[in-house]
Every structure is written in C-alpha cells, then in structure tokens.
Amino acid sequence: MKSNHAIGILAEHLRYHQYPSSYLEELRRHLQLDYTSQQLTTVQQSLLQQCLYLLTKQAPVEYIVGSALFNNQRFLVTREVLIPRFDTEKLFRDSLQTIQKLPQPSAIIDIGTGSGILAICLAKSVSPLHSLHAVDISSAALTLAQLNAQKHSVTDRITFHLADTYPLSSKTNSPLIPHEDTLVIVSNPPYLRNTINHSLPTSVTVYEPSVALFESLNFITKLHYYLTTLLQNNKTIFVHLEYANEDNTVVFLTLSGQEAVNFLNDRMSSLSSPAS
Ligand SMILES: C[S@@+](CC[C@H](N)C(=O)[O-])C[C@H]1O[C@@H](n2cnc3c(N)ncnc32)[C@H](O)[C@@H]1O
C-alpha cells in the first residue's frame, strides 16, 4: 500500500468512527506517513492495521500514539494515566500566576500528578528557587511522570512521591511539612461522581483509569487532613483545584488554605450523606 493511500484510509476511519479530523495529523506522525506514493514498510503496514483496529474499538488516539499535547508540549501517555485535557491548561496558568507573585523559595505540590503535566510545566516556568513535589497513588503513573520529567529535562527539579494523597517525609513517614513558609497546592483530582458513569463515552470509561476519574471520600478526607496539618504548622497556603459543579461543569478554584479546608468539608459531607 502507498503512503498517501494509507492516510486516506485513516481519514476515512476517523470520520466513520466520529473522531475529530484533527487526529489525522497525530496518526500520520505516529506511522511516519507522508503524502507521497511511497510504499509502506512492513512495520508501517502492521502499525496501520493495529491503528485501524483500535479506532473501531473507540480507543483514544492519544493512547494509540502514546503521547498527547499539553500547553503546546508533548507528553508520553499510557492507559495508566489520564489523557491531559485542554481545560487543565487553565489550572496551570492560574497556579503559575499565583507562584510568580510569591516569595522565593516557596514549595509547590502537585497532588495526583498522573502523567506529570502540571509539575513539569511549572518546573519549566518558575524560579529554580522554588521546590516542587509531585504525588500519585499509582506507581505506573508516577513512573511515567518521571519519564516525562526526563524528556523535559526537569528530573532534578521535582521530587516524586508514591503516596496516598499527600507526600510523606522519608525520615518520619508522617505528612511532609516543607521547610518553606509558603506553599502552593495544585491538583486536578479525580472528581467525577460514580453516578454519572453511564453518561461518559466509551473512550473514557473503558480506556481511562478509574482511579484518575472518580471522586473518593478517602482522597478528600486525606487532603483535608493534610491542609489542616500544614495550617497548624503556620504555613501560608494557596490552593488551585480543578473540580466539578453539581451539574458536572468544570470549575477552577483558587482558594486560601482555610477556604480549601471549608470547601473539602462541604464535599465530604455531600459524599458521605446517604442522598448523594
Ligand atoms: C484527574 S487525574 C489528573 C492527572 C494530571 N494531574 C492531569 O491533570 O492530567 C487524577 C490523578 O490522581 C491520582 N490519584 C487518585 N487518587 C489518589 C490518591 N488517593 N492519592 C494520590 N493520587 C491519587 C490518579 O492516579 C490520577 O493520576
């Protein structure tokens, strides 16, 4: 088969299976196809067959090609992590704005880092005097975040923590209290309610990890505990959260530490009440 013919077939498959046409460029790049009549190599032919099969199964193109763009930069993605969403760029911009006004050094903690996009983009944008921490409960996600940090040359700027919700001090195994006076918590936590599971597209429910999607009382309770501990240690805290309203529209919250504690209190009672 010729390269330009293969591109035509991919375009047809994308249309038929209702993918945005913009994905053609990603697939073309992945298969190293060009608009010439060059014959495909055996490897390209077998990759093409694999892509066509995965498209019929509604697999997200980002998982097929193994990468995604965030903030105009390319990150590796696997099925162990959430595919970066365009919306989350606002979370990055909001937190960056806060950090740029802070005294140096401050500490920045990305909770639920997934592919590492937020911690890595921040590491590339803020003063090297700030310390950065990235936390995830999934070891597969954390390994990928570390690979992405390597790819973006910021490995030495970020401390990665495999932990449930908050980083632990390696010496005491208790919540990490950074030595800096000012802290910024950035998080795009799992926030979808299980009850809306049925209304999500297959590309999300079948392919994306549920630990990255669905809100859990455990996460909120522990985040509440961590923020309270930090406040008790006289830290000044700024919290940037990506969350969902009652009607599941995404909201971006910029909160002081105490406001975040109050917000999490409300969230905990709504999740633990029998009506929710
Ligand atoms: C919505 S994803 C966000 C990923 C990434 N920050 C982004 O914006 O694309 C949430 C992440 O939180 C992680 N997570 C879920 N529960 C957690 C917990 N209890 N402690 C730490 N991380 C958790 C998931 O593994 C997932 O990587």
Side-chain angles (χ1 to χ4, degrees):
M1 185 186 297
K2 293 176 178 160
S3 181
N4 50 8
H5 185 201
I7 295 175
I9 292 177
L10 280 170
E12 189 49 44
H13 261 67
L14 287 173
R15 209 171 16 251
Y16 185 77
H17 295 289
Q18 300 180 346
Y19 286 83
S21 57
S22 53
Y23 281 130
L24 183 60
E25 191 48 29
E26 287 290 290
L27 292 169
R28 192 189 70 70
R29 185 179 167 276
H30 177 60
L31 294 168
Q32 299 185 339
L33 299 172
D34 54 28
Y35 290 92
T36 65
S37 53
Q38 174 113 12
Q39 287 293 330
L40 297 192
T41 63
T42 324
V43 174
Q44 282 174 312
Q45 295 219 21
S46 91
L47 271 177
L48 175 66
Q49 290 314 318
Q50 202 185 353
C51 283
L52 296 177
Y53 172 74
L54 290 169
L55 292 176
T56 64
K57 297 284 175 197
Q58 296 293 314
V61 170
E62 290 84 349
Y63 290 147
I64 300 178
V65 303
S67 70
L69 290 172
F70 179 77
N71 199 37
N72 288 323
Q73 295 165 69
R74 194 163 284 280
F75 292 86
L76 305 170
V77 294
T78 63
R79 283 186 62 182
E80 271 95 11
V81 299
L82 189 90
I83 296 166
R85 304 294 200 264
F86 178 66
D87 278 350
T88 306
E89 292 186 9
K90 175 160 171 53
L91 185 63
F92 162 68
R93 286 193 303 273
D94 288 354
S95 38
L96 180 59
Q97 235 177 21
T98 298
I99 296 161
Q100 282 169 338
K101 290 182 205 142
L102 294 183
Q104 297 174 17
S106 298
I108 304 158
I109 307 180
D110 171 17
I111 302 186
T113 195
S115 56
I117 49 170
L118 291 165
I120 292 167
C121 286
L122 288 171
K124 292 174 80 173
S125 313
V126 303
S127 152
L129 292 176
H130 297 308
S131 72
L132 278 129
H133 302 265
V135 186
D136 209 288
I137 198 170
S138 152
S139 60
L142 210 67
T143 301
L144 190 75
Q146 284 167 310
L147 277 177
N148 274 321
Q150 228 169 38
K151 180 173 152 61
H152 288 272
S153 313
V154 288
T155 304
D156 56 349
R157 291 281 292 114
I158 306 171
T159 309
F160 291 91
H161 305 261
L162 179 62
D164 185 347
T165 312
Y166 49 76
L168 295 171
S169 143
S170 53
K171 287 194 189 110
T172 59
N173 214 31
S174 53
L176 176 77
I177 314 287
H179 63 82
E180 294 90 345
D181 293 333
T182 311
L183 274 93
V184 181
I185 308 279
V186 184
S187 187
N188 174 16
Y191 58 69
L192 296 178
R193 317 253 166 130
N194 258 311
T195 46
I196 60 148
N197 197 348
H198 60 274
S199 63
L200 293 169
T202 312
S203 57
V204 175
T205 49
V206 172
Y207 291 98
E208 300 207 76
S210 52
V211 67
L213 295 171
F214 297 109
E215 188 166 41
S216 82
L217 191 54
N218 166 60
F219 184 95
I220 299 172
T221 311
K222 290 199 162 174
L223 184 55
H224 180 275
Y225 165 72
Y226 186 46
L227 294 180
T228 310
T229 310
L230 293 171
L231 289 175
Q232 282 163 355
N233 280 269
N234 299 320
K235 301 294 177 187
T236 303
I237 310 176
F238 298 90
V239 182
H240 286 278
L241 292 177
E242 181 169 342
Y243 240 88
N245 268 335
E246 287 300 305
D247 62 357
N248 291 311
T249 49
V250 178
V251 287
F252 295 92
L253 304 169
T254 301
L255 306 163
S256 69
Q258 191 51 53
E259 285 167 338
V261 165
N262 298 344
F263 169 78
L264 295 170
N265 257 331
D266 289 350
R267 209 71 188 189
M268 282 192 289
S269 26
S270 87
L271 270 175
S272 51
S273 78
S276 67

